Amino acid sequence: MTAATINGNERLRAAMVAANVTIEGLADHLGIDPKSVDRWLNTDRTPHARNAEAAAKYLRADAYHLWPRLGERHRSMPTAQDEVVACYPMRSTVPYGLWRSTLAGAETVIDLAVSNLLFLADAVWDLPTLLADKASAGVRVRLVTPQHPAGPITGLGDVFPSLLTVPGLRLSTHPGLRADVLRADDDLLVTTPIDALTPALAPVLHLRRLGPAPMTGGYLATLDHLFATATPARPVPHLRAVAA
């Protein structure tokens, strides 16, 4: 039995204490079982690269300081499978808080390509405030919605009218939008559409970009293409009665 096994990972423990993050809190942020975090703390277990990097970012620490053996374990290039954090059979099985916590953790980039605004309004109840705060903090925020939304009240101005006046947000519409992609820095939540299947029943992938991005690279390129070819959204002016 090694000293690391007896004492656990004191560097990780100190980082969690400094960040005021519990085992359950870190596990929830990463979308993993709390038992995995407990093993990282109390044994010499080194997590997979994607979890180590995400945990270190959340704790504002260096992954190689927390797990010195990380470099020895992960010398090969990441594969597409390495970028898959979790796969959910349908939207309702995604941990409810994951949508908001993913956006809340963004420090540089937020991209939202959303075909179903009503779903997003339910999943992230304070989205306008959250995005406004992120934009004011210097995060690049882009949101694209369908040019011709289905249903009578699903346009951006109907669901999130206050977003139309928030400075620093790039709002646009696109006629070819079909899927829902939520990106916050290197994390993506992707709803994968299937013909004739209700979007709420479509599988959802939680992806995390690693190295050359063998899997997430396609989605990142698609997001850039969507925003490059989208039409800027503008608020519809209201008519005012003028006294004779």
Side-chain angles (χ1 to χ4, degrees):
M1 181 176 293
T2 65
T5 305
I6 297 173
N7 299 322
N9 189 330
E10 293 304 321
R11 292 182 177 183
L12 176 60
R13 194 183 311 278
M16 292 175 64
V17 171
N20 195 27
V21 173
T22 65
I23 290 176
E24 292 75 16
L26 182 57
D28 182 64
H29 177 76
L30 299 176
I32 62 175
D33 193 311
K35 293 180 180 178
S36 295
V37 178
D38 185 78
R39 283 193 289 268
W40 301 346
L41 272 174
N42 297 306
T43 72
D44 60 351
R45 182 73 60 89
T46 299
H48 291 292
R50 61 176 182 270
N51 285 332
E53 293 289 351
K57 179 180 177 181
Y58 187 55
L59 298 173
R60 298 185 179 275
D62 180 79
Y64 292 91
H65 172 75
L66 299 180
W67 293 284
R69 294 172 54 194
L70 186 64
E72 300 173 7
R73 277 192 54 179
H74 304 287
R75 294 186 183 277
S76 60
M77 295 293 286
T79 66
Q81 290 82 358
D82 291 329
E83 294 190 289
V84 179
V85 178
C87 180
Y88 304 96
M90 63 186 68
R91 187 186 294 158
S92 62
T93 61
V94 178
Y96 188 75
L98 184 60
W99 304 98
R100 189 187 186 284
S101 64
T102 300
L103 291 177
E107 297 180 354
T108 56
V109 176
I110 289 178
D111 284 337
L112 295 171
V114 185
S115 63
N116 189 328
L117 284 166
L118 293 177
F119 147 70
L120 190 62
D122 179 62
V124 187
W125 58 272
D126 62 340
L127 185 73
T129 301
L130 192 155
L131 294 186
D133 289 345
K134 289 296 181 180
S136 66
V139 176
R140 186 197 72 185
V141 181
R142 302 187 296 182
L143 191 153
V144 61
T145 59
Q147 192 169 49
H148 303 291
I153 309 179
T154 52
L156 185 63
D158 299 310
V159 183
F160 296 114
S162 63
L163 283 179
L164 296 172
T165 58
V166 174
L169 269 64
R170 179 178 174 182
L171 308 176
S172 53
T173 62
H174 198 287
L177 184 58
R178 296 292 181 270
D180 294 320
V181 180
L182 182 154
R183 178 199 179 186
D185 294 344
D186 292 329
D187 278 74
L188 287 81
L189 293 173
V190 181
T191 300
T192 55
I194 299 176
D195 289 342
L197 183 66
T198 302
L201 301 178
V204 177
L205 295 175
H206 181 185
L207 307 176
R208 183 165 295 134
R209 179 181 183 177
L210 293 175
M215 185 166 185
T216 60
Y219 288 107
L220 296 175
T222 297
L223 284 171
D224 286 338
H225 174 75
L226 276 173
F227 287 108
T229 57
T231 302
R234 294 183 176 87
V236 178
H238 295 285
L239 296 177
R240 293 183 297 171
V242 178

